[in-house]
Amino acid sequence: WYQRRVTGEEALTSDSVVLQMSALNGSFYLLESQLSCFEESLVQVLADYILVHLVYVTTTPYPFISTVWAVAVALLEKFQDSCPEGFSTFVLQFGVQATLEEGTPFI
């Protein structure tokens, strides 16, 4: 039996939506549990992922996009200073825009 560990970055850049969802859920768990093992280097990877995938809010299944929003908000709450410049502005502006366009509160 061969088992290979997949890093969070590998999972997020994978073509497999299952791996992406697993990485997002695991990252969200670590963000919310405030474990000291959460690496700030992963903040950049998550922020980059969110900046790319948040724009697909209207064409993505709800469970997936709700997890993306949860991670985005958790990053803003806990690692705002470590996020790339403009990340918080983009997330908040896009959240308001998506809510107005879709009529569904995402934040």
Side-chain angles (χ1 to χ4, degrees), residues 38-54:
F38 189 83
E39 296 179 24
E40 286 199 33
S41 61
L42 190 55
V43 170
Q44 183 67 43
V45 173
L46 287 169
D48 290 344
Y49 180 87
I50 289 167
L51 290 172
V52 169
H53 288 83
L54 205 53

Side-chain angles (χ1 to χ4, degrees), residues 46-65:
L46 287 169
D48 290 344
Y49 180 87
I50 289 167
L51 290 172
V52 169
H53 288 83
L54 205 53
V55 296
Y56 300 115
V57 72
T58 57
T59 61
T60 307
Y62 181 74
F64 182 77
I65 201 60

